[in-house]
Amino acid sequence: KIMNRKWVDRGENKDELGGGVVAMQWNTLADKYATVEEMGFPGANPVVLTWMYRSPLIQKEIEGISADIVSLEEVDHFGDFFEPLFLSRGFKGEFSPAEKSSHGVALFYKTEKFNQLKSQKYSFKVSSQTMILMHLELKEGGKQFVVVGTHLKAKEGNETIREGQVQELNSNINEFIQENKLNKDEIAILILGDFNDFPDSLACKF
């Protein structure tokens, strides 16, 4: 069953953004965590955790949102599912697997709306997670963005690690902007990801 989601329209700068940009972020759950064992979902019906059951629902949700930019985490079906799906819908994207892992972060953008000018992948020094940075330009109006897709360390007790990851992420954004000779005051920065923390946490407030 697909959950009903309530959209929040900020209503800001739509003209500047070519009528608005819709961004989507979603942790799609790697197969290794789709289990009824303690590390996963004890008590759940095993059938609903299988990729065969979940993949058409994931596709339905993605198609229903109809976003312009999509960041996905715990992606372990990039080549056999996500990349073909997004290519068929007029997107291009990149994948960055976590260190010593089969799953990672994927970042897609709609080609009819954006030009991709540059991209860079980074691995966090303090953990195995990764991030993708993209320099995108709206084809209508020329507004430029630095879009980030990432996934921070999970679980209670890892707050300090997440704070360190956010500091590293911020440093990488600044480095990316400087290397590409971008004006930080004129470019929009959009950070998408699973932060594994509450909105009032230090990691999210950084």
Side-chain angles (χ1 to χ4, degrees):
K1 182 179 178 180
I2 299 295
M3 295 178 61
N4 291 323
R5 304 178 190 275
K6 183 179 179 181
W7 283 89
V8 177
D9 188 346
R10 295 294 300 274
E12 299 174 354
N13 302 323
K14 284 193 173 182
D15 291 337
E16 182 182 354
L17 298 178
V21 171
V22 177
M24 175 185 184
Q25 181 281 131
W26 194 8
N27 184 324
T28 57
L29 186 62
D31 284 343
K32 67 179 292 185
Y33 302 127
T35 172
V36 294
E37 296 177 4
E38 189 63 33
M39 66 179 291
F41 301 87
N45 182 345
V47 173
V48 304
L49 295 174
T50 64
W51 180 246
M52 183 176 295
Y53 182 92
R54 294 191 299 120
S55 56
L57 295 177
I58 290 172
Q59 178 172 344
K60 184 176 179 180
E61 182 77 349
I62 290 170
E63 292 174 344
I65 297 298
S66 190
D68 304 310
I69 299 171
V70 181
S71 174
L72 303 175
E73 301 81 47
E74 291 193 16
V75 171
D76 54 2
H77 289 277
F78 182 79
D80 65 325
F81 179 77
F82 287 107
E83 186 177 37
L85 171 63
F86 278 96
L87 285 174
S88 72
R89 295 181 57 80
F91 284 75
K92 284 187 177 179
E94 296 190 18
F95 175 63
S96 181
E99 185 178 349
K100 299 179 181 178
S101 177
S102 60
H103 68 83
V105 173
L107 187 59
F108 297 92
Y109 65 94
K110 191 175 289 185
T111 57
E112 70 175 10
K113 193 154 191 170
F114 297 99
N115 294 313
Q116 181 183 341
L117 305 179
K118 184 76 174 181
S119 69
Q120 182 70 46
K121 301 173 185 178
Y122 298 89
S123 294
F124 286 112
K125 297 175 182 177
V126 294
S127 189
S128 62
Q129 286 84 10
T130 65
M131 68 187 89
I132 302 173
L133 276 67
M134 281 189 184
H135 179 197
L136 300 179
E137 179 186 60
L138 273 171
K139 291 185 175 180
E140 181 181 338
K143 179 68 177 179
Q144 295 189 11
F145 298 76
V146 170
V147 181
V148 183
T150 192
H151 188 185
L152 303 186
K153 184 75 172 177
K155 296 185 179 179
E156 186 177 357
N158 289 323
E159 291 81 5
T160 301
I161 292 177
R162 286 192 288 274
E163 290 167 27
Q165 287 179 321
V166 172
Q167 292 177 26
E168 192 176 342
L169 184 151
N170 189 57
S171 176
N172 287 337
I173 291 173
N174 288 330
E175 178 182 306
F176 184 82
I177 287 173
Q178 291 172 6
E179 287 181 352
N180 292 285
K181 297 180 173 58
L182 305 177
N183 188 330
K184 193 174 183 179
D185 296 327
E186 296 180 357
I187 197 164
I189 299 174
L190 177 61
I191 302 175
L192 305 170
D194 182 352
F195 305 129
N196 277 309
D197 221 328
F198 297 102
D200 60 351
S201 68
L202 290 176
C204 292
K205 285 182 172 181
F206 186 82

